[in-house]
Amino acid sequence: MDNHAALRANVGLLGQLLGDTIKDHHGQSFLDKIETIRQLAKSARQGNDDDQQQLLDTLKHLSDDELLPVARAFSQFLNLANVAEQFHTISRQTQHEAGAGPLSQVFERLKTAEINEDSIKAAVAELDIELVLTAHPTEVTRRTFIHKHVQLNDCLAALELDLPEPEKAELLERVEQLITQAWHSNEIRAQRPTPVDEAKWGFAVIENSLWPALPRFMRQLDEQLHTQLGIRLPLDAAPVRFASWMGGDRDGNPFVTAKVTREVLLLGRWMASSLFLNDIQELVSELSMSQANDELAQQTEHHDEPYRVILRQLREDLRETLMFLNAKVQGQSTDARDLITTTEQLRQPLELCYRSLQDCGLGKIADGLLLDVIRKVACFGIHLLKLDIRQDGERHTQALAEISRYLGLGDYADWSEADKQAFLLNELNSRRPLLPRQWQPGAETREVLDTCQVIAEHPQDAFGIYTISMAGAPSDVLAVQLLLKECGVNFPMPVAPLFETLDDLNNGADVIEQLYKLPWYRGYLQGRQYVMIGYSDSAKDAGMMAAGWAQYSAMEKLVAISDREQIKLTLFHGRGGSLGRGGGPARQAILAQPPGSTLGGLRVTEQGEMIRFKFGLPKVAIDSLALYASAVLEANLLPPPEPEPQWRELMDTIADVSCAHYRSLIRDEPDFVPYFRAATPEQELVKLPLGSRPAKRRPGGVESLRAIPWIFAWTQNRLMLPAWLGAHKGLEQVIADGQESALMAMNKQWPFFRARLDMLEMVFLKADSNLAAYYDSLLVPTELKPLGKRLRDELQTSMKLILQLKEEAELLSNEPWIKESIKLRNPYTDPLNVLQAELLKRSRQHEEDDISPALDQALMVTIAGIAAGMRNTG
């Protein structure tokens, strides 16, 4: 059976069982209608115009009672297709056909390139990848469904085995039960999650998937090192670690307060204690050996089960700590003590046992579960995840302005950059406090100071970094450092400016260079600078082509300055799942960065539904971790080429022309905002209880809209506009200048440029101008329709241009797997699009109070279903 046939067989099986469930609940005639719609959609995709018209007529004439179950049928099918596809990446058959994993492949590439062993050993020793879990959810799938999908995955894995018929029948019955449970559950949350709910969701991903996956990934890496280089990973190696924004990201989210941050930190410790307690309990039962080295024998007074003595004590300390944290979480008083307060307290007894077993020739035992637990300690520690803090730079300015006005110094916000820096540095060097004792700040300033006080209450290793969004000047960074100092933070918390508009990206290197020149700042840094690169807002500001080039250029300059100043630079990539927000295959994205940009480590956000796709199952998580590690090793040891001077000039032209065109539409076209609001479900998205964060930073038009709903809305109507608009104009200009052959060379030889074209190709395969036109026909007022036609024409022109540059007859001809995946979904996503347009029309014809709950629910289901069909929504 070929690779795709196995996937199609599983999709068919799950679809058939969903059909049986629908028939049991709604009858055969309703199931026949669903199947007719599916067949019409499939035929319409193949170019049959009569069937296309029949599909539209069928969906248009559904009764109000039929709307919701039809929407649910297609939406649930797409979720099941995603389950089958996720399983397919880790199925025995696929793994067998794919052969070697990413780690062995990268070591082969290094060997072929004749990279010397010492360089490889050094690169592995310096491997430093931090994956930052963020909520922002465009994660529309409820946790209850995610749990069912995990169980379905387990069933599919078992069905691959050669089982006796009764066992197979039992498994199929379980699959049917899970699908039936899902059909009779509500897909859409009743309430928007709170920031604490989001953090709990992140902890659940750790518990169910990353906790078992991490040590298995480490074993794979260790085995490759041993096989290829004859070395082992050190005991305390943590090449991959995890941080989180859930409960710490307050930028534009009024619901993330100091109280929430404190609670999430507590829950993280509670979860870590609970997970470690389970592991230590297992070790107590396993390590029954009596042989011990002198160090352990003396410490346990020559007990006949020395390992158990040490581990039982650790278990009791963890139990009491857990009781203490449990009471604290529930707001109760307790006599229990907080005994395990540092990661070192876990590490020392475990390493003592490990050394003793190795000394006694019991290495096989030492390298079993004990080694796995030691590695989890190194990676997760007692806080489980390091919590990042993120806040808008404007909030710090306002806080300092309020303080300076109270002290009679004038208004900090009105000062020049030079005056701000002079004031901040003076205060940072001063020993007297800045904050007056009797002063009562306003609510917003109080919240900023309270957050800094929460940081002061906790140890340094509870936190990742403090990120300042919309940072544009050195004073933005110094302001945070001063506020932290004034609130009693006694460790140098890393502070990272986030450069996320086109101007900020272009000026970012100057900002960092100015900071490096300040002696106080150099002392604070301790040799390491973090800088966050924003993908979403820069693409929303300038279009994907101009933003991509600005990101690349900013990284290149930052790497050069930090290298010159001998400061270790860690670039933090704020990528989303969707292509309009810097998403796309991780390996390709890493290898498309400037040479040297991962030498100081890689830090990257993993967002919303992408967390589930990449880390939702242990086997998938192992593959994802191996993919990241191998890509960073490759980027550091086999860096991509520097772009030719001519390529840089061409990219400047492409960026300038594409940005001008993009902005002429988004900002200067008076019909654009009304068209956007009419042609997409942007206004209806606010009803969908996705994440805890509001869709807008402030009231206003497109500029006030967050990057996520901006992308999400265009993904829904299949125009996918933010991911391609403007790019073709830049490319056309270069071709008109007679440089087409240079573009062909850039595509073949420069990973950065090739990644841009590949991303466009993937977007175009998901885009559909016929469906976008259908939305227009039902929803857009006559006077705005010419703009829609113009945009769809641009989409078609862009598609042809990309095929021409890539010398391909059809999109993604060299990526059969992605192509098959999209092809498989279309007959289910297309009817949801048609249905959504019809529902939007009906909903907008009613007054707000007059919309039936079933119609509203059906609309929400189509939004969730299309999100599942498109896979990366925001």
Side-chain angles (χ1 to χ4, degrees):
M1 200 192 292
D2 76 74
N3 217 332
H4 295 156
L7 170 64
R8 284 193 293 269
N10 275 335
V11 169
L13 168 70
L14 297 175
Q16 181 201 327
L17 293 173
L18 175 62
D20 292 347
T21 300
I22 292 169
K23 183 177 75 179
D24 290 347
H25 191 59
H26 293 277
Q28 183 66 47
S29 63
F30 182 75
L31 179 61
D32 292 343
K33 183 172 263 189
I34 297 287
E35 183 53 26
T36 302
I37 293 169
R38 189 181 77 86
Q39 291 296 352
L40 288 170
K42 203 171 177 180
S43 173
R45 265 278 151 194
Q46 289 156 359
N48 187 320
D49 292 343
D50 291 345
D51 283 354
Q52 172 72 19
Q53 193 51 51
Q54 205 182 329
L55 174 70
L56 300 180
D57 292 343
T58 307
L59 289 166
K60 197 180 283 186
H61 293 109
L62 289 176
S63 68
D64 280 3
D65 291 345
E66 290 174 314
L67 288 169
L68 182 57
V70 169
R72 295 190 72 224
F74 285 97
S75 179
Q76 293 221 9
F77 182 84
L78 284 163
N79 275 310
L80 293 174
N82 282 343
V83 169
E85 191 173 313
Q86 191 178 37
F87 168 69
H88 189 65
T89 61
I90 53 167
S91 75
R92 287 173 178 78
Q93 183 175 342
T94 311
Q95 297 281 26
H96 172 70
E97 286 171 14
L103 286 169
S104 55
Q105 285 171 5
V106 82
F107 280 113
E108 279 306 311
R109 277 196 284 276
L110 296 174
K111 199 182 282 180
T112 308
E114 297 181 357
I115 303 292
N116 75 60
E117 289 195 359
D118 287 345
S119 301
I120 300 174
K121 287 173 185 173
V124 172
E126 286 162 22
L127 206 51
D128 180 12
I129 298 164
E130 195 161 18
L131 303 175
V132 185
L133 308 183
T134 75
H136 293 195
T138 45
E139 171 54 275
V140 287
T141 312
R142 290 179 61 201
R143 264 171 72 182
T144 181
F145 276 74
I146 292 168
H147 187 60
K148 294 183 203 317
H149 294 165
V150 169
Q151 290 180 293
L152 280 172
N153 209 291
D154 294 343
C155 292
L156 291 176
L159 284 166
E160 277 199 321
L161 303 171
D162 191 14
L163 297 171
E165 282 307 315
E167 280 184 46
K168 205 175 233 179
E170 214 173 286
L171 276 168
L172 288 169
E173 196 175 319
R174 178 63 183 148
V175 171
E176 195 163 6
Q177 275 172 13
L178 289 163
I179 289 172
T180 309
Q181 287 171 16
W183 182 257
H184 292 280
S185 304
N186 190 347
E187 301 93 327
I188 308 296
R189 297 183 187 100
Q191 271 102 30
R192 197 174 276 279
T194 66
V196 174
D197 291 335
E198 289 172 343
K200 286 178 179 172
W201 182 81
F203 295 149
V205 172
I206 300 274
E207 179 182 18
N208 299 324
S209 182
L210 288 167
W211 193 257
L214 187 277
R216 284 158 64 189
F217 152 70
M218 294 286 280
R219 283 185 181 282
Q220 278 189 12
L221 180 58
D222 197 42
E223 274 164 30
Q224 283 299 324
L225 286 174
H226 191 244
T227 310
Q228 308 279 355
L229 304 171
I231 58 166
R232 292 277 188 201
L233 281 171
L235 264 190
D236 60 353
V240 180
R241 290 167 295 120
F242 301 94
S244 173
W245 274 15
M246 301 182 210
D249 176 16
R250 58 244 310 124
D251 173 24
N253 190 343
F255 307 114
V256 178
T257 60
K259 181 174 177 287
V260 162
T261 298
R262 194 179 273 115
E263 186 178 349
V264 168
L265 285 163
L266 189 62
L267 284 168
R269 277 198 62 207
W270 177 87
M271 176 63 88
S273 301
S274 170
L275 291 169
F276 278 120
L277 179 59
N278 293 339
D279 282 358
I280 301 299
Q281 179 62 48
E282 216 173 313
L283 280 173
V284 168
S285 62
E286 279 202 7
L287 300 187
S288 53
M289 291 63 64
S290 54
Q291 289 165 274
N293 66 4
D294 290 345
E295 186 187 15
L296 180 64
Q298 281 167 14
Q299 227 169 303
T300 54
E301 296 177 355
H302 300 278
H303 195 280
D304 60 346
E305 289 187 332
Y307 301 95
R308 283 182 165 167
V309 171
I310 293 288
L311 292 168
R312 279 183 182 133
Q313 183 57 55
L314 184 55
R315 179 182 66 188
E316 292 319 304
D317 289 354
L318 272 169
R319 270 191 186 144
E320 188 157 357
T321 301
L322 195 56
M323 279 162 61
F324 171 84
L325 294 170
N326 213 21
K328 213 167 169 190
V329 166
Q330 291 169 2
Q332 299 165 349
S333 60
T334 176
D335 294 334
R337 291 164 300 160
D338 191 6
L339 295 175
I340 303 283
T341 56
T342 69
T343 299
E344 196 61 14
Q345 287 170 278
L346 280 179
R347 199 175 64 77
Q348 280 183 342
L350 294 170
E351 288 194 2
L352 170 64
C353 293
Y354 185 87
R355 283 193 302 274
S356 175
L357 287 166
Q358 291 287 7
D359 289 350
C360 297
L362 300 174
K364 272 201 168 60
I365 298 169
D367 289 333
L369 177 63
L370 178 57
L371 179 58
D372 288 349
V373 179
I374 290 170
R375 289 200 166 138
K376 286 180 195 172
V377 171
C379 170
F380 296 106
I382 63 157
H383 298 282
L384 197 67
L385 289 161
K386 286 180 181 292
L387 188 66
D388 275 10
I389 304 295
R390 183 168 81 130
Q391 180 60 283
D392 190 320
E394 188 56 33
R395 292 288 297 275
H396 309 127
T397 301
Q398 288 164 3
L400 285 165
E402 195 176 330
I403 294 165
S404 67
R405 287 196 304 269
Y406 180 85
L407 294 171
L409 302 171
D411 193 322
Y412 172 86
D414 295 339
W415 297 349
S416 68
E417 175 62 17
D419 287 348
K420 282 179 181 171
Q421 285 188 39
F423 168 74
L424 294 166
L425 287 164
N426 188 42
E427 292 300 331
L428 282 162
N429 282 307
S430 168
R431 292 185 179 178
R432 60 159 175 72
L434 171 69
L435 300 180
R437 267 197 195 158
Q438 307 307 320
W439 171 60
Q440 287 300 314
E444 291 209 335
T445 298
R446 174 80 275 155
E447 185 52 50
V448 168
L449 297 174
D450 284 351
T451 298
C452 293
Q453 270 153 5
V454 170
I455 298 169
E457 291 164 14
H458 291 81
Q460 182 167 4
D461 64 354
F463 297 101
I465 65 178
Y466 194 123
T467 301
I468 313 158
S469 47
M470 295 297 169
S475 60
D476 288 327
V477 177
L478 298 171
V480 172
Q481 288 160 334
L482 177 58
L483 290 166
L484 290 170
K485 172 195 167 222
E486 290 302 321
C487 292
V489 177
N490 59 8
F491 55 84
M493 184 171 190
V495 178
L498 163 50
F499 301 129
E500 53 188 329
T501 64
L502 193 64
D503 287 347
D504 288 345
L505 282 166
N506 290 336
N507 300 331
D510 289 343
V511 170
I512 295 298
E513 191 163 26
Q514 286 177 55
L515 285 166
Y516 285 171
K517 285 177 182 162
L518 305 173
W520 180 89
Y521 188 79
R522 292 289 287 246
Y524 184 97
L525 268 189
Q526 299 185 334
R528 184 172 199 167
Q529 173 72 51
Y530 290 86
V531 176
M532 187 167 180
I533 303 291
Y535 289 74
S536 328
D537 280 291
S538 57
K540 180 168 162 268
D541 179 36
M544 68 82 86
M545 212 42 133
W549 183 230
Q551 290 149 11
Y552 186 96
S553 305
M555 287 190 242
E556 208 171 30
K557 287 180 203 147
L558 288 163
V559 167
I561 291 163
S562 303
D563 203 31
R564 189 183 72 219
E565 297 293 328
Q566 296 185 309
I567 287 169
K568 186 176 182 181
L569 172 73
T570 301
L571 292 166
F572 178 16
H573 304 273
R575 291 202 182 99
S578 64
L579 299 162
R581 306 192 55 239
R587 176 174 178 268
Q588 185 187 39
I590 290 165
L591 296 176
Q593 288 175 204
S597 59
T598 50
L599 286 170
L602 174 79
R603 205 172 198 266
V604 63
T605 53
E606 291 291 357
Q607 198 159 303
E609 80 273 29
M610 298 317 290
I611 294 174
R612 185 160 50 90
F613 291 140
K614 290 183 183 178
F615 305 107
L617 298 165
K619 279 186 180 171
V620 176
I622 295 164
D623 286 352
S624 296
L625 296 175
L627 196 75
Y628 267 120
S630 60
V632 173
L633 279 175
E634 187 170 350
N636 288 346
L637 291 165
L638 297 170
E642 293 266 356
E644 306 276 342
Q646 183 201 8
W647 299 352
R648 290 180 188 280
E649 285 172 27
L650 293 181
M651 270 316 300
D652 286 340
T653 304
I654 292 167
D656 292 346
V657 173
S658 67
C659 179
H661 181 71
Y662 176 89
R663 286 179 172 175
S664 73
L665 260 161
I666 305 288
R667 296 182 179 183
D668 305 335
E669 169 58 67
D671 286 346
F672 182 78
V673 173
Y675 173 76
F676 168 54
R677 300 246 148 98
T680 73
E682 184 258 331
Q683 293 170 92
E684 288 76 8
L685 282 176
V686 295
K687 296 180 186 174
L688 195 63
L690 293 179
S692 66
R693 198 164 74 171
K696 293 196 172 188
R697 281 193 159 98
R698 58 195 171 279
V702 170
E703 78 292 341
S704 70
L705 197 67
R706 289 196 159 277
I708 293 170
W710 162 245
I711 300 275
F712 198 111
W714 289 110
T715 307
Q716 290 284 312
N717 82 340
R718 303 290 284 276
L719 196 59
M720 316 288 281
L721 179 116
W724 58 265
L725 182 64
H728 70 294
K729 290 289 183 189
L731 294 166
E732 276 174 358
Q733 179 65 56
V734 169
I735 291 170
D737 294 341
Q739 298 287 349
E740 186 172 353
S741 60
L743 291 180
M744 303 275 200
M746 287 159 72
N747 179 44
K748 288 193 171 73
Q749 295 163 42
W750 189 18
F752 164 78
F753 188 71
R754 184 165 59 250
R756 300 271 105 31
L757 297 192
D758 286 354
M759 277 162 69
L760 281 169
E761 219 179 338
M762 204 180 304
V763 166
F764 292 151
L765 205 63
K766 291 184 177 186
D768 191 301
S769 52
N770 291 335
L771 283 167
Y774 185 66
Y775 276 74
D776 279 19
S777 71
L778 293 192
L779 303 169
V780 173
T782 310
E783 67 276 13
L784 298 177
K785 283 183 177 164
L787 178 56
K789 170 81 169 70
R790 185 178 141 201
L791 292 172
R792 293 193 299 280
D793 288 347
E794 286 197 16
L795 172 63
Q796 293 303 324
T797 309
S798 304
M799 285 175 159
K800 285 186 190 135
L801 186 61
I802 292 302
L803 288 174
Q804 177 187 329
L805 286 175
K806 298 202 79 176
E807 301 176 279
E808 289 174 5
E810 52 180 36
L811 291 167
L812 285 183
S813 51
N814 59 345
E815 292 283 0
W817 162 237
I818 296 172
K819 203 168 173 164
E820 178 72 16
S821 161
I822 294 169
K823 199 168 124 192
L824 200 69
R825 285 183 176 74
N826 280 332
Y828 302 92
T829 319
D830 295 355
L832 283 172
N833 280 116
V834 174
L835 201 51
Q836 184 180 84
E838 177 63 31
L839 286 161
L840 286 168
K841 181 186 169 191
R842 292 191 198 184
S843 150
R844 289 174 187 180
Q845 282 167 349
H846 292 90
E847 291 298 317
E848 183 67 37
D849 305 337
D850 196 25
I851 300 170
S852 78
L855 190 129
D856 224 11
Q857 180 77 357
L859 180 55
M860 297 303 108
V861 170
T862 64
I863 291 172
I866 293 164
M870 294 289 99
R871 274 292 287 270
N872 36 21
T873 50

